[in-house]
Amino acid sequence: WLDSELEFTIPGQLGSGDSPFSLLVETENIYRELAHSVYLHEFGQGWWDKIPKGSQNQVLNKIQEWKEKGEDGLDSPSRRYWDAMTTGSLKDSIIVKSIWPNFEELLGMKKGNFTHHWKDFGDLRNTKFHSNEPPTSAHLEVGLGATKIVRSLAAKALRKISDSSEDVDVSELA
């Protein structure tokens, strides 16, 4: 399989001189942004306390690792904490009972369908970034299809949030 099958250009997203982004990485990042925006909107500055405990523990371990490497600005929960989540913890934080209705409304998809597509997306993502074995063409086709679906839904959801927030720029939420 070719990496080029997973890459595309997002015009205007990078500023000067666009470059290719991996569809998988872009999908993952858009969900990190969406999740942070939804949690912040729903729970305010106490959003971190609403993250599932297992996800919190995983994030705190990664944050500690980053701090030991000298990274700054990690003392209190922020958008960066979402970057420390695995895709599994990210999904768990999205489908948790206390917040899923918000995502269901934004995404326009039932939880079962979302988790089905997320599983296919996550499986392809993990195969691509953590396995030496390339996926079969069927695996690639299913994974890419699911990735395109969940990415499209998240992009629409972020636009909904942005359109409904006259005073708040979603990309600047921290």
Side-chain angles (χ1 to χ4, degrees):
W1 77 321
L2 300 174
D3 285 344
S4 61
E5 293 180 62
L6 295 174
E7 294 178 348
F8 65 104
T9 300
I10 305 170
Q13 294 288 316
L14 303 174
S16 63
D18 293 336
S19 64
F21 266 57
S22 164
L23 177 62
L24 298 170
V25 171
E26 176 62 19
T27 300
E28 188 175 339
N29 287 337
I30 205 168
Y31 271 94
R32 293 178 192 288
E33 184 67 34
L34 178 62
H36 182 67
S37 297
V38 170
Y39 268 82
L40 191 61
H41 179 264
E42 183 67 17
F43 303 118
Q45 294 305 313
W47 67 268
W48 174 248
D49 297 330
K50 303 300 184 180
I51 299 291
K53 294 299 177 206
S55 297
Q56 283 184 3
N57 293 336
Q58 181 267 310
V59 167
L60 292 174
N61 288 336
K62 185 57 125 177
I63 293 295
Q64 184 59 39
E65 181 183 313
W66 288 350
K67 285 180 177 180
E68 289 171 4
K69 291 180 179 178
E71 291 196 39
D72 295 326
L74 300 171
D75 292 329
S76 60
S78 67
R79 167 61 180 82
R80 286 284 319 277
Y81 276 46
W82 292 96
D83 293 333
M85 278 190 193
T86 63
T87 53
S89 290
L90 179 58
K91 179 203 59 137
D92 291 345
S93 297
I94 291 169
I95 65 169
V96 69
K97 190 176 184 177
S98 63
I99 198 73
W100 172 252
N102 301 59
F103 282 98
E104 183 174 39
E105 182 180 333
L106 284 168
L107 298 172
M109 181 179 275
K110 296 289 185 194
K111 188 191 296 190
N113 289 338
F114 175 79
T115 56
H116 173 79
H117 290 304
W118 189 273
K119 179 190 174 300
D120 291 338
F121 153 68
D123 186 45
L124 181 60
R125 182 234 177 257
N126 290 338
T127 299
K128 164 71 174 137
F129 295 114
H130 302 295
S131 175
N132 291 328
E133 295 297 317
T136 64
S137 60
H139 181 198
L140 181 62
E141 185 177 326
V142 168
L144 283 175
T147 301
K148 289 175 183 177
I149 289 168
V150 294
R151 185 196 180 283
S152 174
L153 293 172
K156 288 177 187 174
L158 275 176
R159 281 193 299 276
K160 285 181 190 176
I161 290 172
S162 180
D163 291 347
S164 69
S165 305
E166 294 177 7
D167 299 324
V168 179
D169 180 1
V170 174
S171 67
E172 294 178 5
L173 292 175

